[in-house]
Amino acid sequence: MSALTVKNGDSDNPVFEDIRRPEFRIENDLGLFDGIVHDVRVTNDTASVSLEYLAGEDSFWRDYAKMSLAVLEDAPWVSRVEIVYLWGRNVNVSVSSGDLLKASPGSSRQRSSRTR
């Protein structure tokens, strides 16, 4: 859902803004992956997600970075993304937002290291 909003009193240039809560956006975005989201919590510092991953372990590691980036896109102010995978045993994987962005495809740091 979006709403037409005016920023800084500039009524000549209204913009559409996503007004859904970040927890709701994260849960919806992670619904695209092969899993069931159980809990989403967002604070000023951390976005934490608990989910049951239904595909195999190999798929999990391929999807991990994509899921973490989706969480960060919905809560760009956080400094840490934490995903708790509920399997036979819980696996907690946490990454700083800065490290996640540095490692993401297309980041300027990753491109410069490839050209050396």
Side-chain angles (χ1 to χ4, degrees):
M1 178 184 337
S2 61
L4 195 57
T5 60
V6 174
K7 295 194 184 229
N8 299 325
D10 186 5
S11 59
D12 292 333
N13 295 307
V15 295
F16 280 102
E17 184 176 6
D18 190 347
I19 60 172
R20 299 173 300 164
R21 292 183 3 244
E23 294 87 352
F24 182 81
R25 290 191 309 247
I26 290 169
E27 186 172 348
N28 276 343
D29 287 349
L30 293 184
L32 297 174
F33 296 92
D34 198 5
I36 300 169
V37 177
H38 288 275
D39 188 39
V40 177
R41 295 174 192 231
V42 179
T43 67
N44 290 337
D45 299 322
T46 304
S48 180
V49 177
S50 297
L51 61 83
E52 188 176 344
Y53 193 74
L54 303 175
E57 190 173 340
D58 292 342
S59 297
F60 157 74
W61 291 113
R62 282 193 300 267
D63 285 346
Y64 167 71
K66 295 174 195 170
M67 287 188 281
S68 296
L69 284 169
V71 170
L72 188 58
E73 182 178 22
D74 291 330
W77 63 87
V78 299
S79 59
R80 180 156 298 285
V81 174
E82 178 179 280
I83 299 178
V84 178
Y85 293 95
L86 308 172
W87 282 325
R89 66 185 200 294
N90 293 352
V91 176
N92 185 334
V93 184
S94 180
V95 64
S96 78
S97 300
D99 289 344
L100 183 59
L101 292 173
K102 287 176 193 173
S104 68
S107 73
S108 59
R109 180 175 201 125
Q110 190 178 53
R111 278 191 299 253
S112 65
S113 67
R114 283 189 207 150
T115 57
R116 290 183 188 169

